[in-house]
């Protein structure tokens, strides 16, 4: 089970939001590259970046901070990024900069042809991000709820050749209320590609609950507010997950 620290970028700083609300942000660091180094030193084997401004603007905004992170740790561990990725030129530029995976969210739902083209052009590097509330997919920084069922969309995107799915329960994100294990397992069981859980991670119990269902196809979990607030010791949690697998 991969524990993947999240570095959410807003105005060049590391922040965490509650339920995706841009005006409800807590700043955890002024130096994203230093934060990336901190998590690598704690044993992270992948990093999850989000360009929050980009997600709202529909285009990259925090590229300077992203490049600084890649310069710091990009040749040591894979780095994945979501937020504001709406065209193939942006995908190509980010991959050229050293990103391992690009996460396509809103654009995958609104322009599935773009996701299909990205998978064709950059196979092995495209992850789809599906953010949901009550099983329905949300877009545009979670501000709009669609009528699409998560499982249905994920199965369609799987046929396009996406590498994996990041599944976020937006009602839980940043709330430390626990991962939605049931919905995550339901999605993983419907797919043959891996699922990365996201939203609500709180403590070691959540990690153990995920490890218990890892065999269903759950590859990892995004670690956000819990590792910044200290309700989860990242290094200890990754060690526990490794012991479980062993």
């Amino acid at each position: 089970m991969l524990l993947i620290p999240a570095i959410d970028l807003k105005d060049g700083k590391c922040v965490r939001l509650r339920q995706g609300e841009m005006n409800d942000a807590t700043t955890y660091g002024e130096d994203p590259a230093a934060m990336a180094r901190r998590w690598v030193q704690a044993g992270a084997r992948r990093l999850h970046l989000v360009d929050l401004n980009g997600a709202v603007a529909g285009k990259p905004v925090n590229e300077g901070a992203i490049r600084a992170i890649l310069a710091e740790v990009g040749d040591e561990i894979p780095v994945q990024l979501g937020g504001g990725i709406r065209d193939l030129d942006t995908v190509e530029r980010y991959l050229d900069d050293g990103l391992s995976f690009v996460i396509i969210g809103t654009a995958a739902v609104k322009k599935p042809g773009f996701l299909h083209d990205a998978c064709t052009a950059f196979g092995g590097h495209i992850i789809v991000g599906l953010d949901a509330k009550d099983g329905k997919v949300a877009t545009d920084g979670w501000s709009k709820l669609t009528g699409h069922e998560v499982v249905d969309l994920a199965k369609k995107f799987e046929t396009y050749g996406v590498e994996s799915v990041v599944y976020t329960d937006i009602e839980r994100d940043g709330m430390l209320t626990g991962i939605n294990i049931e919905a995550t397992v339901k999605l993983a069981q419907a797919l043959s590609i891996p699922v990365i859980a996201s939203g609500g991670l709180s403590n070691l119990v959540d990690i153990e609950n995920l490890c218990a269902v890892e065999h269903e196809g759950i590859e990892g979990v995004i670690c956000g507010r819990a590792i910044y607030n200290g309700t989860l010791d990242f290094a200890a949690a990754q060690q526990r997950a490794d012991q479980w697998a062993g």
Side-chain angles (χ1 to χ4, degrees), residues 45-125:
R45 299 198 286 267
R46 188 187 293 193
L47 289 178
H48 175 81
L49 313 184
V50 183
D51 183 347
L52 293 170
N53 303 100
V56 174
K59 61 184 180 182
V61 175
N62 286 287
E63 279 192 87
I66 292 159
R67 287 200 184 99
I69 290 170
L70 291 169
E72 181 69 30
V73 304
D75 59 347
E76 297 175 48
I77 63 169
V79 180
Q80 62 191 42
L81 167 77
I85 299 164
R86 304 283 197 271
D87 57 66
L88 292 176
D89 287 344
T90 302
V91 175
E92 185 171 25
R93 189 166 76 247
Y94 273 138
L95 293 175
D96 285 346
D97 285 344
L99 275 174
S100 297
F101 302 103
V102 168
I103 302 168
I104 299 174
T106 292
V109 181
K110 291 188 161 184
K111 298 191 294 182
F114 160 57
L115 178 67
H116 191 281
D117 290 345
C119 289
T120 301
F122 308 107
H125 297 285

Side-chain angles (χ1 to χ4, degrees), residues 2-235:
L2 273 179
L3 275 58
I4 309 172
I7 299 178
D8 290 2
L9 301 165
K10 181 177 183 239
D11 306 329
K13 300 174 183 176
C14 302
V15 306
R16 291 301 296 169
L17 307 183
R18 291 178 186 273
Q19 295 179 315
E21 291 292 337
M22 287 290 276
N23 58 3
D24 191 359
T26 305
T27 300
Y28 285 102
E30 306 278 334
D31 186 344
M35 188 66 77
R37 172 56 57 197
R38 169 187 166 186
W39 296 126
V40 171
Q41 289 174 339
R45 299 198 286 267
R46 188 187 293 193
L47 289 178
H48 175 81
L49 313 184
V50 183
D51 183 347
L52 293 170
N53 303 100
V56 174
K59 61 184 180 182
V61 175
N62 286 287
E63 279 192 87
I66 292 159
R67 287 200 184 99
I69 290 170
L70 291 169
E72 181 69 30
V73 304
D75 59 347
E76 297 175 48
I77 63 169
V79 180
Q80 62 191 42
L81 167 77
I85 299 164
R86 304 283 197 271
D87 57 66
L88 292 176
D89 287 344
T90 302
V91 175
E92 185 171 25
R93 189 166 76 247
Y94 273 138
L95 293 175
D96 285 346
D97 285 344
L99 275 174
S100 297
F101 302 103
V102 168
I103 302 168
I104 299 174
T106 292
V109 181
K110 291 188 161 184
K111 298 191 294 182
F114 160 57
L115 178 67
H116 191 281
D117 290 345
C119 289
T120 301
F122 308 107
H125 297 285
I126 306 298
I127 295 173
V128 72
L130 294 177
D131 309 320
K133 180 179 180 181
D134 299 326
K136 303 288 188 185
V137 173
T139 62
D140 298 277
W142 305 351
S143 61
K144 297 175 183 173
L145 202 60
T146 72
H148 297 295
E149 293 283 346
V150 171
V151 171
D152 293 342
L153 267 188
K155 286 169 78 170
K156 180 169 89 167
F157 295 156
E158 180 178 32
T159 67
Y160 291 3
V162 298
E163 188 70 11
S164 55
V165 176
V166 174
Y167 171 65
T168 304
D169 184 323
I170 61 179
E171 289 185 293
R172 298 183 184 226
D173 192 73
M175 304 304 288
L176 301 174
T177 50
I179 292 282
N180 189 335
I181 298 282
E182 183 181 356
T184 306
V185 168
K186 179 184 175 187
L187 179 61
Q189 287 175 336
L191 303 172
S192 59
I193 54 173
V195 171
I196 298 170
S198 173
L201 181 70
S202 176
N203 53 41
L204 199 57
V205 173
D206 287 328
I207 298 298
E208 292 175 341
N209 288 341
L210 279 168
C211 285
V213 294
E214 183 177 7
H215 63 278
E216 299 285 4
I218 300 169
E219 176 181 41
V221 58
I222 308 293
C223 306
R225 191 176 288 271
I227 59 173
Y228 289 97
N229 279 7
T231 63
L232 182 72
D233 180 317
F234 178 82

